[in-house]
């Protein structure tokens, strides 16, 4: 079974085609950016789908979506009208993600009507988190009727890490998975199951994100609204001009921020320090939640490629059993154990593979 895995953003479309009869061997991959932007080659996600289908040697047997927010629908499910309607209802809190997925699901259904589609929600891996870590302190009917609670995201990535750790370090039962990339989250994994995660109702929360705020005091809204901004202005700024970009004023890309910091830019240094503090905050909290940490894992663009950041995160944690090997820590982008031989906790770089998880789940749903 060849599964086309679709990974969409509001202006991007990345895909891989994996052969699930050959252990997920990659048959094709591609990516399109700036969709629908001024001067862009493609006006809609549908246009991109036309190009992909023209270029593939044969149509896929199934399509798996790394879908983001289905509210009460979590896990991996066949796409139907009910799934699409529910994603629509949660589009207001996942504005960069749900609309392009809905558009792509409809376009694929029109262009390839006989090819089944499966939505693998990013919230799925976190269904095992206990209620005490899901609820917000809000009026109960918001929780019950509006579904306002913590869901957590990056489920495919954290699930991949949980699965991979079982293969390469089966003795590690308490794992802290740090997905640090364009958006970032940290998950505590006990015996392969998520028990806590840093993102909440929306992927805007938790750690500082590239250009999104992360955790924030809701009551600051009052002050902002009093400045004459509308709720829409505030939300747009929190979602596009916050995070690492907001603090540094340099860029939303860690590579640029790093360069600026090295050249003496104080705000760029502050953005990196604040990002590191956020990571250490969750690592500490999750060591307590797990009762220790057998393996600390770094993944995604920043986690896999930035030795200095990993070193800053692990600094002074010998008391907690974490000792980084400075030479091994210079590894970039490949799987490696980067702790010293006598470190009580193992520290790993594990490149994530979200597409493999989505393709596996797609196959499972269609075969069940
Ligand atoms: P996304 O979440 O959009 O899939 P990635 O996981 O690719 O993003 O992570 C993007 C982030 O990773 C960017 O901030 C970028 O600066 C950082 N990054 C990617 N590659 C490198 C690299 N080779 N060296 C340093 N940082 C990198």
């Amino acid at each position: 079974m060849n599964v086309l895995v679709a990974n969409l953003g509001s202006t991007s479309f990345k895909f891989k085609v994996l052969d699930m009869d050959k252990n997920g061997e990659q048959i094709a991959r591609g990516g399109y950016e700036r969709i629908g932007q001024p001067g862009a080659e493609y006006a809609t996600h549908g246009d991109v789908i036309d190009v992909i289908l023209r270029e593939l040697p044969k149509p896929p047997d199934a399509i798996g979506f790394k879908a983001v927010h289905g509210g009460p629908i979590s896990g991996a499910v066949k796409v139907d009208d009910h799934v699409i309607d529910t994603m629509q209802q949660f589009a207001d809190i996942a504005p960069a993600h749900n609309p392009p997925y809905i558009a792509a699901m409809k376009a694929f259904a029109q262009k390839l009507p006989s090819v089944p589609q499966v939505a693998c929600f990013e919230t799925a891996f976190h269904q095992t988190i206990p209620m005490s870590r899901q609820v917000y302190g809000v009026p109960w009917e918001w929780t019950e009727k509006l579904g306002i609670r913590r869901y957590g995201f990056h489920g495919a990535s954290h699930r991949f890490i949980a699965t991979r750790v079982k293969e390469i370090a089966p003795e590690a039962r308490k794992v802290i998975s740090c997905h640090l990339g364009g958006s970032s989250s940290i998950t505590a994994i006990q015996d392969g199951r998520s028990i806590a995660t840093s993102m909440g109702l929306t992927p805007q929360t938790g750690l500082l994100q590239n250009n999104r705020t992360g955790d924030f005091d809701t009551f600051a809204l009052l002050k902002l609204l009093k400045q004459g901004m509308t709720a829409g202005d505030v939300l747009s700024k929190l979602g596009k001009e916050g995070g690492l970009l907001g603090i540094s004023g340099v860029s939303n890309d860690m590579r640029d921020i790093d360069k600026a910091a090295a050249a003496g830019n104080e705000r760029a240094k502050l953005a990196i320090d604040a990002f590191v503090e956020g990571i250490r905050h969750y690592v500490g909290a999750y060591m307590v939640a797990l009762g220790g940490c057998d393996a600390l894992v770094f993944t995604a663009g920043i986690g896999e490629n930035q030795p200095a950041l990993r070193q800053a995160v692990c600094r002074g944690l010998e008391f907690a059993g974490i000792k980084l090997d400075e030479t091994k820590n210079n590894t970039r982008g490949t799987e490696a154990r980067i702790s010293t031989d006598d470190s009580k906790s193992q520290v790993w770089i594990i490149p994530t593979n979200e597409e493999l998880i989505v393709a596996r789940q797609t196959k499972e749903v269609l075969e069940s």
Side-chain angles (χ1 to χ4, degrees), residues 67-74 82-102 121 123 136 142-153 200-204:
V68 176
H69 215 320
I73 303 180
S74 198
H82 173 62
V83 171
I84 292 186
D85 286 348
T86 311
M87 286 172 70
Q88 189 68 55
Q89 285 165 31
F90 279 78
D92 50 358
I93 52 172
H97 292 105
N98 278 17
Y101 275 102
I102 293 169
F121 286 101
T123 50
Y136 288 119
W142 295 6
T143 310
E144 211 172 29
K145 299 216 173 85
L146 301 178
I148 293 186
R149 61 169 179 85
R150 291 174 185 279
Y151 291 87
F153 298 87
L201 171 72
T202 77
Q204 321 275 5

Side-chain angles (χ1 to χ4, degrees), residues 7 14 66 154 179-184 210 244 252-258 299-307 332 352 354:
N7 181 355
K14 289 189 265 182
K66 190 163 82 75
H154 290 142
H179 176 110
L180 311 174
S183 64
S184 301
N210 57 356
L244 293 169
N252 62 8
D253 191 303
M254 196 47 126
R255 283 165 288 203
D256 302 333
I257 300 171
D258 233 21
T299 193
I302 299 173
E304 292 165 26
N305 293 299
Q306 295 219 319
R332 291 166 198 258
T352 194
E354 298 166 286

Side-chain angles (χ1 to χ4, degrees), residues 226-289:
K226 275 194 198 155
Q227 304 292 308
M229 284 185 234
T230 65
D233 297 336
V234 174
L235 289 176
S236 163
K237 283 192 186 288
L238 292 174
K240 293 182 183 148
E241 296 174 33
L244 293 169
L245 170 66
I247 298 178
S248 71
V250 171
S251 164
N252 62 8
D253 191 303
M254 196 47 126
R255 283 165 288 203
D256 302 333
I257 300 171
D258 233 21
K259 263 192 218 140
N265 182 315
E266 290 299 328
R267 274 176 54 192
K269 282 188 208 164
L270 181 62
I272 296 170
D273 290 348
F275 186 54
V276 167
E277 280 312 319
I279 299 165
R280 288 165 62 89
H281 170 89
Y282 282 104
V283 168
Y286 292 169
M287 279 184 173
V288 172

Side-chain angles (χ1 to χ4, degrees), residues 1-36:
M1 179 189 287
N2 287 357
V3 180
L4 184 150
V5 178
N7 181 355
L8 310 183
S10 49
T11 62
S12 66
F13 192 128
K14 289 189 265 182
F15 77 96
K16 278 187 187 172
V17 181
L18 304 182
D19 183 345
M20 298 314 289
D21 300 322
K22 292 190 187 157
N23 257 329
E25 185 183 299
Q26 183 177 302
I27 294 175
R29 68 179 295 174
Y32 298 83
E33 287 183 340
R34 304 191 65 242
I35 300 166

Side-chain angles (χ1 to χ4, degrees), residues 131-144 147-150 200-201 217-219:
M131 268 308 267
S132 57
R133 295 198 192 101
Q134 284 189 27
V135 285
Y136 288 119
V138 295
W140 185 245
E141 58 181 59
W142 295 6
T143 310
E144 211 172 29
I148 293 186
R149 61 169 179 85
R150 291 174 185 279
L201 171 72
D217 188 330
T218 327
F219 287 85

